[in-house]
Amino acid sequence: MPPERAVWQRFMDDARRRVEQAPGLEVRGTLTRVAGLVLEARGIREPIGAQCQVVMPGSAPVLAEVVGFSGELAYLMPAGDVHGLSAGASVVPAAPYVPVPRLGEPERDVRARSGMLRLPQGRGLLGRVVDPQGMPMDGQGPLQDVAAEPMDRRPINAMDRDPVRLPLDTGVRAINSLLTVGRGQRIGLFAGSGVGKSVLLGMMARYTEADVIVVGLIGERGREVKEFIEDILGEEGRARSVVVAAPADAPPLLRMQGAAYATAVAEHFRDRGQHVLLLMDSLTRYAMAQREIALAIGEPPATKGYPPSCFARLPALVERSGNGLNGVGSITAFYTVLSEGDDQQDPIADAARAILDGHIVLSRALAEEAHYPAIDVEQSASRVMHNVATPEHLEAARRFRTLYGRFRGSRDLVRVGAYAAGSDPLLDDAIRLQPAMTAFLQQNMREGASLDDSVEGLQYIAAAAQAL
């Protein structure tokens, strides 16, 4: 190569290297309007789901997410307090999470982390309580042994998932015996407020056979967050758990992000071959947060004030759980669903029942009788029980349900003395076995019941019924 050409080649290579290493041009938009929960900005072209910061001189930046656009106008939903913002504030793409640098690690490229949401993932989350932005809430210092990963994940092909074939021991006698859950199943806990949903979730968190437990507390009262972690979950459950908390006073964007983050954490451990138990309280609060956002940007309401996007978001979230690729790892998920006024035909409850693999209904009438857990076995069902239970187990469960349902249906007649013994032989058997059946279904929150013991107790009652 001629000397002159070599000089120019070196010059061009050096210029190309300088251009590649130079920081990119920063695109800035301008805040033009704040209407309720929505920020409107011009001059910024970021995709849906991109993270931005609204910057005002002399105040802390406000993190926001692009949730819609109309022509040159971008709609953003803030993740914090908008007090102090005014027209003309700068809107710039943000890097929502940058891991803490550690000695000996190569320098991270922060530019690659801007735009789409990335939050911490890894074993360093075990035993920790974090908010929807991945920031610790437990006062135990910064997260270690984590890496920033994107929240948007491609769904798993349905043909690449293994079917639910193995039973899962939840530690709850009524569920193990009559509503047997399979590993990789998605099931809902349907109930009104104050009937023991959180206590039941805590029991499963302590006693379920799972490698990792991910708890998403979405839209719950702030007081309940600490009580659930310290009193219900306990030290034993917390040691193998990751808790993502988005209390009721969090903006709707953070409540939705908390549910997505909890699911992403569960996916992270599942993809590494572990069996994960995902407990989300509650799916209804997630839908309510989506309703607030959709109505704020002008989407028309459809059913009881819920816009169509709510019913599209629910299956998109739920379908992310389940068995992993070719049977490697699994997520067994329990979603609590609030029934307004104990109405099981609430639109969110009805939609959730259709997309889940079973439903466990908690009865207020049973709770008022101090019957805990207040599981109404007559209204509850597990759609995969026939795949994970033996024929003997299924027959014992059928016999138990028949007797229990016959007694519950005729209970008022028996109590007022209007029933004459001998009129219905099946009801006579149900009356004799009623104390044993009621005691079998009740369980102390500090008491665990294994799957084998639960099935054995169920078969014992069924055999006693046949002997009568």
Side-chain angles (χ1 to χ4, degrees), residues 168-182 185 187 189 200-201 203-204 334 360 362 373 375 377 380 382 385 393 440-441 443 449 451 454-455:
L168 179 68
D169 187 354
T170 63
V172 181
R173 190 183 302 113
I175 297 177
N176 283 342
S177 58
L178 299 169
L179 305 164
T180 310
V181 174
Q185 183 178 359
I187 197 164
L189 297 178
L200 183 57
L201 290 179
M203 292 175 64
M204 289 187 287
F334 285 84
I360 298 174
L362 302 186
I375 298 175
V377 296
S380 305
S382 173
M385 183 175 177
H393 180 183
F440 177 79
L441 294 175
Q443 184 176 342
L451 178 61
S454 301
V455 175

Side-chain angles (χ1 to χ4, degrees), residues 13-26 109-112 114:
D13 291 342
D14 182 63
R16 185 180 297 107
R17 186 168 53 254
R18 289 175 179 273
V19 170
E20 291 176 351
Q21 294 178 352
L25 295 176
E26 184 179 66
D109 184 4
V110 178
R111 291 175 300 160
S114 63

Side-chain angles (χ1 to χ4, degrees), residues 184-206:
Q185 183 178 359
R186 289 79 58 93
I187 197 164
L189 297 178
F190 292 76
S193 57
V195 295
K197 296 187 303 298
S198 298
V199 175
L200 183 57
L201 290 179
M203 292 175 64
M204 289 187 287
R206 285 195 300 271

